[in-house]
Amino acid sequence: MKPSSLSNSPRYNSLDEALAAIYGMKDDPLVNAGTNVVISRGNPRAKILLVGEAPGPQENIKGKPFVGPAGQLLDKILQAGEIDPENDVYITNSVFRMPPGENGANFRKPNDKEIEYYRPFVFEIIRLVDPLVILLTGNVACQSVLQKTGITSLRGKWTELDGRWLMPIFHPSYLLRNQSREPGSPKSLMWEDIREVKRKYDELRGK
Ligand code: URA
């Protein structure tokens, strides 16, 4: 998150105002996909903010991020780390509409142009929620917020920015495709990362 990009952010007076503006978007690069605007769920006063990739089919139907299989796994992981997904976390994405499918697939990953377009709105949500900790799930969220990728080497490492602590973690969809729990497996590394997140969260709150 470079300050230069942050200064380009639109400025809203409240989260509700920002959400209303995003819900009303008519010229975003995914408008022609015809999919719904899906922005966030969880507690807007939470001190942990989690950024995902893009809504998928379930999210597009229900209007909330991370409510399909990846979201169910995400909730389980957070709960196992004694982090309450509804109270301790505000959950959003890097882009706010499901991208259309390609080659017969249901949907594809957001591209660079889409990630860049929505970035100022993601930053604005961060500013207005004002979290202590930001979790970036997978490469798209790293590209959106940190403006770099390479989740395998970025995961598990803290970056401090403007008084906030950012940590890249694996995307839960990646864990759904990699079920091993062996030491060093994505699932076991995710567990280490979530324990560290909880430790930091408690430390920052003086618990
Ligand atoms: N994957 C994401 O990154 N976000 C969602 O909202 C759902 C699945």
Side-chain angles (χ1 to χ4, degrees):
M1 192 177 352
K2 292 176 188 155
S4 60
S5 306
L6 272 176
S7 63
N8 292 337
S9 298
R11 291 279 156 162
Y12 299 101
N13 292 318
S14 67
L15 184 62
D16 284 348
E17 206 182 283
L19 298 183
I22 302 169
Y23 277 121
M25 276 179 177
K26 300 247 177 320
D27 56 358
D28 56 303
L30 286 170
V31 70
N32 291 330
T35 47
N36 295 320
V37 175
V38 176
I39 314 175
S40 55
R41 71 169 167 100
N43 177 5
R45 292 196 191 80
K47 290 294 154 203
I48 302 176
L49 184 143
L50 181 140
V51 183
E53 184 178 301
Q58 293 290 322
E59 290 76 19
N60 182 48
I61 293 167
K62 297 194 179 138
K64 288 187 178 177
F66 281 109
V67 291
Q72 281 155 18
L73 178 59
L74 175 68
D75 283 0
K76 266 198 210 160
I77 293 167
L78 292 170
Q79 281 157 350
E82 296 179 11
I83 297 171
D84 180 342
E86 289 303 319
N87 288 309
D88 293 324
V89 191
Y90 191 68
I91 297 178
T92 188
N93 273 317
S94 304
V95 309
F96 301 123
R97 290 184 204 264
M98 182 173 85
E102 262 172 16
N103 303 324
N106 220 355
F107 61 105
R108 58 157 172 78
K109 275 183 185 290
N111 62 33
D112 292 352
K113 193 179 113 203
E114 292 156 359
I115 294 167
E116 275 161 35
Y117 179 88
Y118 294 101
R119 178 182 293 128
F121 298 96
V122 175
F123 283 0
E124 192 60 353
I125 289 174
I126 292 172
R127 186 182 72 82
L128 292 162
V129 173
D130 196 19
L132 295 169
V133 170
I134 301 176
L135 301 179
L136 304 170
T137 64
N139 266 328
V140 169
C142 290
Q143 185 177 340
S144 172
V145 177
L146 287 177
Q147 296 172 49
K148 55 184 168 184
T149 56
I151 188 65
T152 315
S153 55
L154 291 173
R155 62 139 280 277
K157 295 181 191 131
W158 291 110
T159 299
E160 191 189 2
L161 204 84
D162 300 340
R164 309 188 202 285
W165 290 86
L166 285 72
M167 187 193 279
I169 56 175
F170 287 132
H171 194 286
S173 299
Y174 179 63
L175 303 181
L176 286 173
R177 299 192 300 272
N178 292 275
Q179 294 286 351
S180 164
R181 291 171 189 276
E182 292 295 300
S185 65
K187 272 200 166 168
S188 79
L189 296 175
M190 180 72 150
W191 178 233
E192 279 176 26
D193 294 349
I194 290 300
R195 284 208 321 243
E196 170 56 18
V197 169
K198 171 70 165 132
R199 188 201 64 73
K200 188 77 164 179
Y201 177 50
D202 286 347
E203 178 189 287
L204 293 169
R205 292 181 307 153
K207 300 247 161 154

